[in-house]
Structure formats: C-alpha cells, structure tokens
Amino acid sequence: LVAYLVPAADGGVPSGAELRRHVGAQLPDYMVPSAFMTLDAFPLTPNGKLDRRALPAPDYGPGSTGGRAPRSPREEILCGLFAEVLGLESVTIDDDFFGLGGHSLLATKLVSRIRSVLDVELAVRRVFEAPTVAELATVLDASAAARSPLRAVEPRPARLPLSLAQQRLWFLHQFEGPSATYNIPVALRLSGELDERALRLALGDVVARHESLRTVFAEDADGPYQVVRDAEAVGLAVVRTDETRLRTELLGAARHAFDLRSEGPLRVWLFELGDDAYVLLVVAHHIASDAWSMGPLARDLTSAYAARVGSGGAPGWEPLPVQYADYSIWQREVLGAEDDSDSEITRQLAYWKAVLADLPEELSLPFDRPRPAVATYQGDSVALDLAPELHEKLTRIARERRASLFMVVQAALSTLLTRLGAGTDIPLGTPVAGRTDDALDDLVGFFVNTLVLRTDTSGDPTFAELIERVRVRDLEAYAYQDLPFERLVEVVNPERSLSRHPLFQTMLTLNNTEQGAETAVASLPGLTVANEPVAVGGAKVDLSFRLGERRGDGA
C-alpha cells in the first residue's frame, strides 16, 4: 500500500490526471498505478491506526487490467525476449520497453535476440516506434527474413583476414609504431588469501578459450592477416611494491607498448602490497578487445580461478559457439562487396556519404592553447557527478519524448557546444557495441564501432524540438551501424590532418549497462574485490564526455 499526498491545482480534490502527472514525475512508467482513488480521510481504528479492512476496494474501471497476456505464440515469444533482455521475470504485451528501463543498447540486443529466435530482420528504430509487444508483433509481420547467422567456419581458410575495424588499428600501429594509445587497462584491488598458482592457470584457461587473446598479426603482399597461436601458459608478472610506489608502477605497466607482430595482445601484472593485499592489472590491446569484452573476460577468469582453487582442474564451461576469426570472415560475407550495387556495404556507404556531406572539418571551441601540428594524444580526465534529481528529470524527459537517455544528453551537449561557439552543425562520435549477433555476447574481441551523429541546432528550436531532431537522426543511424568507421573515413575522405581526429573531435559515451570487470569478479573465492583506478593518460579526441549510470538503493 502506497499513499501519495498530492495537492490539487485549485485547492480541491486532485483529478486522476493530476495524480498521474505528480506520481509519474517520481516513478518509472511501470510503477505508476493505472487507476487512482481519492479519500476525504483514511479510516482509522479506535487506537488511531489505519483500518485496512475499512479501505474501499479499488475500482480499476473497464479494461484496466494492468496489461494483457499474449494472444499468439509470437507474442508469447516476444514477451519472453523482452523479459530476458530487460532482466525481468515477465512482461505483458502492453508494457513499454523503454518504460521498463530499456535503452538504445538493450534495443540493439533485443533486435539481435529477435533475429536469432524468430529469424526476422528488424531495424532498431522499429523498437522505438513500436515499443510494446503488441505493436512490435504487428511490425514483425511485415519484416524481412533475417540475414545469415554467424557460425563457426569449418574448415578455416589458411589465411585469416583481419576484421575491418582491426585493419585501421593495424595501419596506425604500422604508421605510428607501438604505443599505449589503444591499450585497455583494468585494475582490481584484491584483499584476502590469493592462490597465485591458481591465478596463473586460470589466466591460461581464459587465453585458451578466447583465440583473440593469443593472436598475432603478420603481413604479406596481400596485406595483413591473423595468426592464431596455440594455447600456452600466460606470463604473470609479479611485482613487490608498496602504496607509495603503486601509482607510478601501475601507470608504467598500463602504458606497455605491444608489438603486435610477435606479442600476444594481453599482459597481466600482480602487484603484491603485503598483508594479503594485491592489485591485479590486466592490459589488453584494442585490436583484440573492447570495453564490453572486459565483462566476459572477467567472468571467465572468475569461473576458471574458482575451478582451479576448488577441484584443481580446468573449468567445465561449454565451448564458445564462434571465435573472432569466424566473425572476421562472416562480417565480410554479410557486408558484401562495394562493387556490388545490391550489397549491404554499398547501401550503408550511400547513406553515410549523404548524411555526412559538407561536414564541418572541426568544431571551433574556445581552447586555451593552439592545436599542435601533430596530435600528441596527451590528455587527462576530470570527474563530474550529476545529482540524482537531475538524472531523474533527464530520464523523465526521455520517456515523455519517446527517446533514450542518450538522445536527451546528446541534445543537451549539442546545445552547450553551440553556445560555446561551435556553430549549429555539431558532429559527435559515439561508440556502439557492434555485437549484432547473439553468438558474440560472451566473446572477447574488437567489435565496437563508432557512429558519427550529426545534430542540427539551427533555427532556435525548443529543447523538445531538438530532442525530436536528434531522435529521428539517431534512429536512422542505428539502422546503418554495421559500416566500420575506418572504412567510412576512407570513403568520405575528409581533409586529412595529423592534428585532429577525422569527422569529429568530440565524443559522447553513455554506459548504461553493467559490463564492468569489478561486478563480474566480485565473487572470486576467498577475496574481496574493489576497483582500482588506472588510465594510460591519453586522449584520442579533443573532448570526450563519458557518462555512466550509478544506481543506489531506490535510485
């Protein structure tokens, strides 16, 4: 039983609309009651307590059942997929995907699950346009058959191609030489009894499981290709240190320069601080990993360590359905050839060339120093906390405008950049997970792609109008997210400069899904785990806004 004290606008009894407006401002849609009841006074017992038995039975009105049950096998399957993706026990066919906590990344995951289970191809924008099971089931009736699913390639070709995203990193590695620019470091502080031998064996288990972590790169007259090495013991560098030296040694290790020709793309250090205190540092090169990959990597390390500490044997996990080399081959098959007018890559290239025509070369922002002739990638970060009340308001705006939280933040950031003198044509870069097939969910590899989202702030629009502009443009972009950014740069061919990032110089990231290593390894047996901040201190673009949702009790 929840009671709300809501004043009416005219001082009298509030109407149902006023009640819904007030309560809806404090709760997500799925928690707002479908019907309200007003009482002049609460019935009380002789002792002055609430007399529950005397409360009138609620009248929900005709048709107000709180949501309908599935009416067909397809709706039943969709209800299950909604619940699975959102982490809920069940949903009805009338529940709104975004009202239940959905966002752009989860919408992409939902589309992937629909593709796998129902063999239907669906654009992400359709989830925004038809966010309930009842609406989406109707949309699926007119949708096309799904593209070919990702499968393990047997037998494999002798020469394994790089993925399209890997090709650009390989080019940069060759052009600039080994550096820490594309390192992904994760550090965890461990307290308790650590079994070092079990940790070494567990690391070997993980590297054996994920081919991407034991891949080196070679090049011949036909270009670069992958070489998957046999599984072998993983080097664990043990360093005895103390708190005063830890920061310096962590940073030095995080800046390790990988030689991708001869060295696997994963390095691990264990810093021993004494008294059962440690810091574990894992550094992966971006050519073999991405931020999402840290979750699967940490979960596998956790289960492998638990097995090695417990039974002493290898973990009994199921084999992964595919490996990264399978994805590299499949990606090229799905996108097709650019000289084929009917191929997917030709269709997506045509869209992006039109959308990014006459893009500004760079944003004019009030920097406090001149742009160097050659980018140094030197940078730092500044922490910023937004109040829970502001987060709640942003979420409510997104819900009211049928947009995602990311879209609202994008509109706000574009407004800020315009007011700072960047003009009214604001290109922002943003990462998308790139895992558009279910088989990739638990795989370590480089799948993330970068989209260029262009915001038009001209004409003095209201903020609601600007959100709508952003919403329309973003939903279009999500339907063309398979084209690798690296290939987009080559085709759009902006004026090149060693001093700035191509196509955009400001990046916006909203991490509203828990893929972090800290969460995944919280159950390491015999150990307490906490995140240990570490960064390589570099910056790939001029300005990057990295936001993440952090929820507490009731938040």
Side-chain angles (χ1 to χ4, degrees), residues 341-419:
S341 60
D342 295 326
S343 70
E344 182 64 18
I345 195 169
T346 299
R347 184 180 74 89
Q348 297 205 18
L349 277 171
Y351 168 81
W352 285 110
K353 285 193 287 187
V355 165
L356 300 182
D358 301 319
L359 193 73
E361 292 179 4
E362 66 180 63
L363 292 184
S364 300
L365 293 174
F367 298 122
D368 58 357
R369 65 191 67 189
R371 183 184 295 277
V374 178
T376 64
Y377 301 112
Q378 294 178 4
D380 208 339
S381 60
V382 177
L384 174 67
D385 282 331
L386 303 181
E389 295 77 15
L390 176 58
H391 175 258
E392 187 278 326
K393 290 178 181 178
L394 293 172
T395 302
R396 187 174 74 249
I397 292 172
R399 186 168 63 242
E400 292 171 351
R401 308 309 306 177
R402 300 187 72 80
S404 66
L405 178 60
F406 174 86
M407 295 173 185
V408 176
V409 174
Q410 179 188 339
L413 176 57
S414 299
T415 301
L416 172 64
L417 295 176
T418 293
R419 291 185 175 180

Side-chain angles (χ1 to χ4, degrees), residues 146-306:
R147 64 192 182 192
S148 59
L150 174 57
R151 296 284 187 265
V153 177
E154 294 181 1
R156 282 186 177 178
R159 193 175 184 280
L160 296 173
L162 273 62
S163 71
L164 297 179
Q166 284 181 324
Q167 285 188 175
R168 179 166 174 78
L169 284 192
W170 173 253
F171 169 78
L172 291 174
H173 182 76
Q174 296 295 97
F175 182 73
E176 300 174 350
S179 74
T181 304
Y182 290 94
N183 284 5
I184 304 176
V186 174
L188 300 170
R189 185 171 286 264
L190 310 176
S191 302
E193 186 176 349
L194 175 68
D195 187 330
E196 186 178 311
R197 179 179 178 277
L199 178 60
R200 288 179 184 274
L201 292 173
L203 287 168
D205 294 330
V206 172
V207 172
R209 179 169 172 78
H210 297 275
E211 288 183 354
S212 59
L213 299 178
R214 47 189 170 93
T215 296
V216 295
F217 300 85
E219 192 166 15
D220 57 21
D222 296 323
Y225 58 95
Q226 300 182 60
V227 178
V228 180
R229 289 178 166 176
D230 293 335
E232 56 185 23
V234 177
L236 175 64
V238 179
V239 180
R240 295 186 181 277
T241 187
D242 54 40
E243 295 289 354
T244 59
R245 294 179 293 167
L246 177 62
R247 302 310 310 164
T248 301
E249 293 182 341
L250 265 179
L251 182 58
R255 289 177 172 170
H256 172 76
F258 287 92
D259 182 351
L260 298 178
R261 285 183 177 273
S262 59
E263 180 184 9
L266 180 73
R267 291 292 299 271
V268 185
W269 288 262
L270 181 66
F271 295 92
E272 294 185 343
L273 302 172
D275 298 328
D276 293 332
Y278 311 85
V279 170
L280 179 67
L281 173 66
V282 178
V283 181
H285 194 283
H286 202 3
I287 202 168
S289 184
D290 54 24
W292 179 296
S293 296
M294 294 299 102
L297 191 155
R299 288 195 295 271
D300 286 348
L301 180 59
T302 298
S303 60
Y305 180 77

Side-chain angles (χ1 to χ4, degrees), residues 66-81:
R68 294 171 292 171
R71 301 164 297 183
S72 68
R74 170 170 279 181
E75 286 186 346
E76 185 174 357
I77 292 172
L78 284 174
C79 282
L81 295 180

Side-chain angles (χ1 to χ4, degrees), residues 22-170:
H22 181 86
V23 176
Q26 304 177 55
L27 297 173
D29 285 348
Y30 69 94
M31 292 181 64
V32 178
S34 58
F36 295 87
M37 175 185 306
T38 58
L39 299 175
D40 294 330
F42 286 112
L44 303 177
T45 66
N47 295 328
K49 297 182 179 180
L50 176 66
D51 189 348
R52 295 176 182 268
R53 294 182 178 180
L55 287 171
D59 179 11
Y60 294 101
S64 297
T65 63
R68 294 171 292 171
R71 301 164 297 183
S72 68
R74 170 170 279 181
E75 286 186 346
E76 185 174 357
I77 292 172
L78 284 174
C79 282
L81 295 180
F82 269 52
E84 174 189 333
V85 171
L86 293 168
L88 302 174
E89 290 187 6
S90 63
V91 300
T92 73
I93 67 170
D94 299 308
D95 288 327
D96 186 288
F97 180 80
F98 300 98
L100 295 177
H103 46 72
S104 301
L105 181 56
L106 287 181
T108 300
K109 187 172 183 179
L110 176 64
V111 167
S112 176
R113 294 293 293 129
I114 290 173
R115 179 187 300 118
S116 298
V117 175
L118 295 176
D119 195 32
V120 174
E121 195 65 39
L122 187 71
V124 174
R125 67 174 301 163
R126 302 297 279 165
V127 180
F128 283 82
E129 296 166 348
T132 69
V133 166
E135 295 170 316
L136 201 58
T138 302
V139 170
L140 292 182
D141 291 336
S143 298
R147 64 192 182 192
S148 59
L150 174 57
R151 296 284 187 265
V153 177
E154 294 181 1
R156 282 186 177 178
R159 193 175 184 280
L160 296 173
L162 273 62
S163 71
L164 297 179
Q166 284 181 324
Q167 285 188 175
R168 179 166 174 78
L169 284 192
W170 173 253

